[in-house]
Amino acid sequence: MVTHRGFGSGLPVTLVGHGLGATPGEARLPTSGLPGTKVVVTLPSHGDAPDAPDDYWDYRRIAADLGGVARETGATRAIGVSLTAGALLALLAGEPDAFERVVLLLPAVLDEPRPALSLDDAVRAGGGPPDHQARRRTAFTRLHGALDRLPGRVAVPDRAVLARVTAPVLVIGATEDPLHPEDVAKQVAAAFPNGRLELVPSWLTHRGDVRRWLADFLAG
């Protein structure tokens, strides 16, 4: 059910996951300026991927799909945004040495469930002009099951399991994003022995900073 597409060529190979309701263009944003091959995943009910089954929306289920794509493509680095940041946390909890470097952009959940999210809140959270908002609303018409199920789920049962992850982990949070609380980003970064935290007011207004951090961090 998960599909993926490669951009660029050569090494390193970086797995890139998107947030809930992301359009194909949004899904590619974190790949800008990165060297090597970028493997952009499309989750079910997004883009041209098939619709998700009713029981799909669980961080561990998504983590299993991301892990499968990483093994298939030989990805040694990973970037997760919001929903897939949570899925990468679930993946690392079970496979602490899955990647050499990991970026978690706008994590929304760790080991405590997040509040319920309405359709209107989910659409407005992306910001942007009216035509972009309209595309997001269309995208979310396929995601009612996710909005119902994900708020009751956690990425990991206990953040202490992430202490086994020795790879460097960059966590980028936002101070002015109600759907991705600053405190969650701080807790996620602190859960890793080699965690690094960077904060911006909003990803949308500080894309240049985020791109620079990603490129520098993934270059080692």
Side-chain angles (χ1 to χ4, degrees), residues 1 44-45 51-57 61 149:
M1 290 180 295
S45 296
D51 287 344
D54 291 340
D55 62 349
Y56 182 77
W57 299 108
R61 176 79 177 269
R149 292 174 180 272

PDB file of all heavy atoms in Angstrom, residues 1 44-45 51-57 61 149:
ATOM      1  N   MET A   1       0.821  -1.216   0.000  1.00  0.00           N
ATOM      2  CA  MET A   1       0.000   0.000   0.000  1.00  0.00           C
ATOM      3  C   MET A   1       0.854   1.264   0.000  1.00  0.00           C
ATOM      4  O   MET A   1       0.479   2.274  -0.551  1.00  0.00           O
ATOM      5  CB  MET A   1      -0.919   0.011   1.216  1.00  0.00           C
ATOM      6  CG  MET A   1      -2.034  -1.022   1.153  1.00  0.00           C
ATOM      7  SD  MET A   1      -3.066  -0.939   2.610  1.00  0.00           S
ATOM      8  CE  MET A   1      -1.894  -1.439   3.861  1.00  0.00           C
ATOM      9  N   PRO A  44      -0.632   5.431   2.330  1.00  0.00           N
ATOM     10  CA  PRO A  44      -1.985   5.195   1.812  1.00  0.00           C
ATOM     11  C   PRO A  44      -2.884   6.413   2.016  1.00  0.00           C
ATOM     12  O   PRO A  44      -2.689   7.195   2.958  1.00  0.00           O
ATOM     13  CB  PRO A  44      -2.469   4.004   2.642  1.00  0.00           C
ATOM     14  CG  PRO A  44      -1.230   3.290   3.054  1.00  0.00           C
ATOM     15  CD  PRO A  44      -0.203   4.373   3.257  1.00  0.00           C
ATOM     16  N   SER A  45      -3.843   6.570   1.121  1.00  0.00           N
ATOM     17  CA  SER A  45      -4.804   7.674   1.145  1.00  0.00           C
ATOM     18  C   SER A  45      -4.157   9.031   0.887  1.00  0.00           C
ATOM     19  O   SER A  45      -4.726  10.077   1.212  1.00  0.00           O
ATOM     20  CB  SER A  45      -5.591   7.714   2.471  1.00  0.00           C
ATOM     21  OG  SER A  45      -6.383   6.564   2.620  1.00  0.00           O
ATOM     22  N   ASP A  51      -6.280   3.802  -1.118  1.00  0.00           N
ATOM     23  CA  ASP A  51      -6.857   4.165   0.173  1.00  0.00           C
ATOM     24  C   ASP A  51      -6.399   3.206   1.261  1.00  0.00           C
ATOM     25  O   ASP A  51      -6.197   2.008   1.023  1.00  0.00           O
ATOM     26  CB  ASP A  51      -8.383   4.149   0.108  1.00  0.00           C
ATOM     27  CG  ASP A  51      -8.934   5.337  -0.678  1.00  0.00           C
ATOM     28  OD1 ASP A  51      -8.181   6.302  -0.905  1.00  0.00           O
ATOM     29  OD2 ASP A  51     -10.120   5.287  -1.056  1.00  0.00           O
ATOM     30  N   ALA A  52      -6.253   3.738   2.465  1.00  0.00           N
ATOM     31  CA  ALA A  52      -5.818   2.923   3.605  1.00  0.00           C
ATOM     32  C   ALA A  52      -6.969   2.081   4.124  1.00  0.00           C
ATOM     33  O   ALA A  52      -8.121   2.520   4.123  1.00  0.00           O
ATOM     34  CB  ALA A  52      -5.315   3.833   4.718  1.00  0.00           C
ATOM     35  N   PRO A  53      -6.687   0.854   4.600  1.00  0.00           N
ATOM     36  CA  PRO A  53      -7.721   0.081   5.282  1.00  0.00           C
ATOM     37  C   PRO A  53      -8.081   0.739   6.610  1.00  0.00           C
ATOM     38  O   PRO A  53      -7.321   1.573   7.136  1.00  0.00           O
ATOM     39  CB  PRO A  53      -7.054  -1.276   5.498  1.00  0.00           C
ATOM     40  CG  PRO A  53      -5.597  -1.001   5.472  1.00  0.00           C
ATOM     41  CD  PRO A  53      -5.405   0.147   4.527  1.00  0.00           C
ATOM     42  N   ASP A  54      -9.208   0.368   7.174  1.00  0.00           N
ATOM     43  CA  ASP A  54      -9.713   1.027   8.382  1.00  0.00           C
ATOM     44  C   ASP A  54      -8.739   0.948   9.551  1.00  0.00           C
ATOM     45  O   ASP A  54      -8.681   1.851  10.378  1.00  0.00           O
ATOM     46  CB  ASP A  54     -11.054   0.411   8.790  1.00  0.00           C
ATOM     47  CG  ASP A  54     -12.159   0.748   7.803  1.00  0.00           C
ATOM     48  OD1 ASP A  54     -11.996   1.734   7.051  1.00  0.00           O
ATOM     49  OD2 ASP A  54     -13.173   0.036   7.783  1.00  0.00           O
ATOM     50  N   ASP A  55      -7.972  -0.145   9.639  1.00  0.00           N
ATOM     51  CA  ASP A  55      -7.102  -0.336  10.809  1.00  0.00           C
ATOM     52  C   ASP A  55      -5.672   0.145  10.570  1.00  0.00           C
ATOM     53  O   ASP A  55      -4.775  -0.171  11.349  1.00  0.00           O
ATOM     54  CB  ASP A  55      -7.080  -1.821  11.207  1.00  0.00           C
ATOM     55  CG  ASP A  55      -6.517  -2.710  10.101  1.00  0.00           C
ATOM     56  OD1 ASP A  55      -6.349  -2.214   8.965  1.00  0.00           O
ATOM     57  OD2 ASP A  55      -6.261  -3.898  10.369  1.00  0.00           O
ATOM     58  N   TYR A  56      -5.459   0.936   9.523  1.00  0.00           N
ATOM     59  CA  TYR A  56      -4.078   1.293   9.164  1.00  0.00           C
ATOM     60  C   TYR A  56      -3.457   2.309  10.112  1.00  0.00           C
ATOM     61  O   TYR A  56      -2.256   2.266  10.373  1.00  0.00           O
ATOM     62  CB  TYR A  56      -4.022   1.845   7.740  1.00  0.00           C
ATOM     63  CG  TYR A  56      -2.615   2.183   7.297  1.00  0.00           C
ATOM     64  CD1 TYR A  56      -1.736   1.175   6.908  1.00  0.00           C
ATOM     65  CD2 TYR A  56      -2.139   3.499   7.307  1.00  0.00           C
ATOM     66  CE1 TYR A  56      -0.437   1.462   6.521  1.00  0.00           C
ATOM     67  CE2 TYR A  56      -0.842   3.798   6.912  1.00  0.00           C
ATOM     68  CZ  TYR A  56       0.000   2.774   6.529  1.00  0.00           C
ATOM     69  OH  TYR A  56       1.291   3.070   6.160  1.00  0.00           O
ATOM     70  N   TRP A  57      -4.234   3.236  10.636  1.00  0.00           N
ATOM     71  CA  TRP A  57      -3.666   4.426  11.253  1.00  0.00           C
ATOM     72  C   TRP A  57      -3.176   4.167  12.673  1.00  0.00           C
ATOM     73  O   TRP A  57      -3.837   4.457  13.666  1.00  0.00           O
ATOM     74  CB  TRP A  57      -4.672   5.567  11.197  1.00  0.00           C
ATOM     75  CG  TRP A  57      -5.010   5.889   9.782  1.00  0.00           C
ATOM     76  CD1 TRP A  57      -6.176   5.632   9.141  1.00  0.00           C
ATOM     77  CD2 TRP A  57      -4.139   6.464   8.805  1.00  0.00           C
ATOM     78  NE1 TRP A  57      -6.098   6.031   7.826  1.00  0.00           N
ATOM     79  CE2 TRP A  57      -4.859   6.542   7.590  1.00  0.00           C
ATOM     80  CE3 TRP A  57      -2.820   6.938   8.842  1.00  0.00           C
ATOM     81  CZ2 TRP A  57      -4.308   7.067   6.427  1.00  0.00           C
ATOM     82  CZ3 TRP A  57      -2.269   7.459   7.683  1.00  0.00           C
ATOM     83  CH2 TRP A  57      -3.015   7.529   6.490  1.00  0.00           C
ATOM     84  N   ARG A  61       2.192   0.485  12.763  1.00  0.00           N
ATOM     85  CA  ARG A  61       1.874  -0.028  11.433  1.00  0.00           C
ATOM     86  C   ARG A  61       2.598   0.793  10.362  1.00  0.00           C
ATOM     87  O   ARG A  61       3.179   0.241   9.419  1.00  0.00           O
ATOM     88  CB  ARG A  61       0.357   0.036  11.226  1.00  0.00           C
ATOM     89  CG  ARG A  61      -0.130  -0.374   9.832  1.00  0.00           C
ATOM     90  CD  ARG A  61      -0.174  -1.853   9.640  1.00  0.00           C
ATOM     91  NE  ARG A  61      -0.702  -2.214   8.335  1.00  0.00           N
ATOM     92  CZ  ARG A  61      -1.990  -2.447   8.069  1.00  0.00           C
ATOM     93  NH1 ARG A  61      -2.896  -2.350   9.034  1.00  0.00           N
ATOM     94  NH2 ARG A  61      -2.376  -2.789   6.860  1.00  0.00           N
ATOM     95  N   ARG A 149      -8.629   8.006  14.595  1.00  0.00           N
ATOM     96  CA  ARG A 149      -7.847   6.987  15.299  1.00  0.00           C
ATOM     97  C   ARG A 149      -6.542   7.499  15.913  1.00  0.00           C
ATOM     98  O   ARG A 149      -6.159   7.075  17.001  1.00  0.00           O
ATOM     99  CB  ARG A 149      -7.530   5.836  14.340  1.00  0.00           C
ATOM    100  CG  ARG A 149      -8.744   5.028  13.932  1.00  0.00           C
ATOM    101  CD  ARG A 149      -8.393   3.994  12.870  1.00  0.00           C
ATOM    102  NE  ARG A 149      -9.536   3.215  12.484  1.00  0.00           N
ATOM    103  CZ  ARG A 149      -9.917   2.096  13.091  1.00  0.00           C
ATOM    104  NH1 ARG A 149      -9.223   1.632  14.103  1.00  0.00           N
ATOM    105  NH2 ARG A 149     -10.991   1.431  12.678  1.00  0.00           N
TER     106      ARG A 149
END
